[in-house]
Amino acid sequence: MSQNAIQLAVPLTRGDKTIEQITLRKPDTGSLRGLAISDVMRMDVDTLADLVPRISPDITKGEFLQLDPYDLGEISKSVIDFFTVRPSI
């Protein structure tokens, strides 16, 4: 599982563009620099606001902070899956 796509329940708007889906790639060690993995696992909003834009070309930190709570939960669960689902070998 190297990528997860999340369909947003409440799309974001960037200028005249509507963002309806966000694709996350599995974080590498560099993406996690300066972040506590325990904060990622606790779904700390500030930590995820730093991490998610690092692993998705689809969203900025400012846009992340505007997410609907439902979409925040779905993205958070998707990030956690990268740490809890065993990779296929």
Side-chain angles (χ1 to χ4, degrees), residues 29-79:
T29 303
S31 301
L32 297 167
R33 264 181 315 138
L35 304 176
I37 293 176
S38 60
D39 290 342
V40 174
M41 299 302 285
R42 286 186 313 108
M43 298 185 203
D44 177 74
V45 173
D46 291 325
T47 302
L48 291 171
D50 288 333
L51 177 60
V52 170
R54 295 179 188 181
I55 62 173
S56 176
D58 303 320
I59 192 169
T60 66
K61 183 174 182 175
E63 291 165 341
F64 180 88
L65 295 172
Q66 296 174 13
L67 285 170
D68 181 84
Y70 176 83
D71 291 324
L72 170 63
E74 292 301 301
I75 290 170
S76 298
K77 288 187 285 186
S78 185
V79 170

Side-chain angles (χ1 to χ4, degrees), residues 2 7-8 10 12 22 30 37 42 46 57 69 74 77 80 88:
S2 61
Q7 190 71 29
L8 298 177
V10 179
L12 297 169
I22 294 175
I37 293 176
R42 286 186 313 108
D46 291 325
E74 292 301 301
K77 288 187 285 186
I80 297 303
S88 302

